[in-house]
Amino acid sequence: MTEFNNRIAAQREVLLAVNSVHWREELYGMSSGALERWVQANSLNRCSKLVSLLLEVAGKLFFLANKSQEQVTAEYRLHSSEVSELTEAIRLEVQQLQVLGTDMDKN
Amino acid sequence: MNMHFYAFGSICRGEVDKASDVDILACITGPNSDIDTEKFSVYQHDRLRRLWTEGNPFAWHLHLESRLLFSSDGIDFIASLGAPAAYTAGEEDCNKFANLFFDSFNQLLKTRVNATFNLSCMFLGIRNFATCYSIWHGHPVFSRRSPLLIDSPLSIDAEAFGVLTRARVLSTRGIGLALSDQEVMLVLRAAPAIQSWMRQLLAEVRR
């Protein structure tokens, strides 16, 4: 798989983790514009752990996005690993919100 | 430190609508801490020189459509690079973007979760596929409407193409009306024609 495909797959994994539960509006992408829309559409608290994790992974994906022309390097693999760890943390956070029966609209 | 700024993309083609942004390239050497990477496409001068040597599609895009806005040394850096090397990765790139389209389409068939994101990726696959094909074919088209404008254009329902474009804008900029289930279905119905078009052009670049 190319670096480009890896980056798309990484975004898809994060979005699947978030959108696996019902929101007023899905998260459409990992761009700052898409994240801002999602936070507003769902009346989310910007200081919540979930939003913080998403902003962090979005920052890393944006870094990778800027590298879209680059070959796969050790630097890229390092960031891919960080993205994987953050994706897992996001998945757990979403699951926890679901298990606790938290109203997703309020988090 | 020499710095060069260029406009490129839709603004240089006069393709401006409410969803358009302005693409600015910053060419620098060394650290770029003062330049907001969310607002600028930041490239080192050496990296651009390598893209020119590789005959990369982005080098061709900049060569053919960028406009100098500012130069700290009075030199038009991109003009000084001349024409990029011949584009030789047509088959590889067309395969890559066709795979993006097919993978995203298959995801959409499996589940409506991430429907907008997957439609956005389908649009990216179609658009970049068409642009890479057009460079390979010798008549480059960098427009976001490149699938409709290349020598072997995609024949697609205008509304379905509009839905794909909206999905891309929703995913990358977070603006626009959310897509309805009916609009998703509209694209699903158009997908066989898109697949057939891609396979036809892929066969051409593979010959």
Side-chain angles (χ1 to χ4, degrees):
Chain A
M1 193 182 269
T2 66
E3 182 271 347
F4 175 82
N5 293 114
N6 278 332
R7 185 159 52 81
I8 297 286
Q11 286 189 72
R12 184 174 282 124
E13 280 302 303
V14 174
L15 294 173
L16 272 175
V18 173
N19 292 330
S20 60
V21 298
H22 181 73
W23 300 94
R24 258 182 247 157
E25 187 174 277
E26 269 198 352
L27 178 57
Y28 295 142
M30 296 306 295
S31 63
S32 56
L35 274 166
E36 182 58 33
R37 178 189 176 111
W38 179 72
V39 166
Q40 283 191 17
N42 294 288
S43 307
L44 299 173
N45 180 352
R46 282 182 175 74
C47 299
S48 68
K49 188 175 175 186
L50 179 57
V51 174
S52 300
L53 285 167
L54 285 167
L55 287 171
E56 189 178 350
V57 78
K60 293 189 185 302
L61 285 169
F62 184 76
F63 173 78
L64 296 177
N66 258 7
K67 295 273 194 184
S68 63
Q69 311 280 354
E70 304 282 353
Q71 300 297 314
V72 174
T73 63
E75 182 184 51
Y76 174 73
R77 285 194 293 272
L78 174 66
H79 284 278
S80 293
S81 157
E82 289 175 13
V83 167
S84 298
E85 287 167 16
L86 281 166
T87 304
E88 192 52 34
I90 288 165
R91 189 175 287 120
L92 288 172
E93 185 63 20
V94 171
Q95 280 173 3
Q96 196 169 20
L97 290 173
Q98 206 172 19
V99 167
L100 292 172
T102 312
D103 182 350
M104 307 303 285
D105 289 351
K106 298 286 189 312
N107 283 282
Chain B
M1 180 179 80
N2 284 331
M3 292 173 66
H4 304 92
F5 289 93
Y6 292 84
F8 69 101
S10 58
I11 190 77
C12 293
R13 294 187 296 272
E15 278 185 348
V16 179
D17 60 30
K18 285 181 180 168
S20 301
D21 52 4
V22 177
D23 295 308
I24 304 289
L25 172 76
C27 313
I28 60 167
T29 295
N32 65 339
S33 55
D34 291 336
I35 301 178
D36 184 347
T37 53
E38 286 212 28
K39 292 181 182 160
F40 295 86
S41 294
V42 184
Y43 278 76
Q44 297 285 326
H45 288 103
D46 279 348
R47 179 62 183 140
L48 287 169
R49 288 189 187 95
R50 288 200 298 277
L51 292 178
W52 251 249
T53 306
E54 293 163 11
N56 186 285
F58 188 53
W60 277 102
H61 184 174
L62 294 174
H63 170 63
L64 294 171
E65 290 197 343
S66 65
R67 299 286 181 275
L68 179 65
L69 299 175
F70 170 79
S71 168
S72 63
D73 59 2
I75 293 172
D76 183 337
F77 173 72
I78 284 182
S80 76
L81 295 175
Y87 178 51
T88 56
E91 181 180 350
E92 183 187 337
D93 287 345
C94 284
N95 276 325
K96 177 170 72 178
F97 292 117
N99 286 339
L100 173 62
F101 174 84
F102 289 121
D103 289 348
S104 306
F105 176 53
N106 287 333
Q107 288 283 332
L108 186 61
L109 286 177
K110 269 191 231 166
T111 173
R112 291 296 186 271
V113 176
N114 284 353
T116 300
F117 176 73
N118 284 320
L119 288 166
S120 159
C121 291
M122 287 163 67
F123 174 83
L124 183 64
I126 296 166
R127 183 249 174 106
N128 287 3
F129 176 91
T131 293
C132 289
Y133 170 85
S134 73
I135 305 172
W136 173 84
H137 198 247
H139 297 103
V141 181
F142 299 102
S143 165
R144 76 170 77 92
R145 298 177 70 247
S146 61
L148 313 178
L149 302 174
I150 61 172
D151 290 342
S152 302
L154 169 65
S155 178
I156 182 173
D157 175 75
E159 206 177 332
F161 193 76
V163 171
L164 286 163
T165 308
R166 268 173 57 208
R168 186 68 191 153
V169 176
L170 281 164
S171 181
T172 55
R173 301 187 53 210
I175 58 174
L177 278 178
L179 304 181
S180 67
D181 292 341
Q182 288 82 356
E183 288 173 322
V184 175
M185 284 306 298
L186 196 65
V187 176
L188 286 174
R189 281 195 288 272
I194 300 171
Q195 289 174 303
S196 168
W197 168 76
M198 277 186 160
R199 290 195 176 108
Q200 182 193 327
L201 299 194
L202 276 175
E204 195 182 329
V205 298
R206 284 170 182 165
R207 273 202 293 269

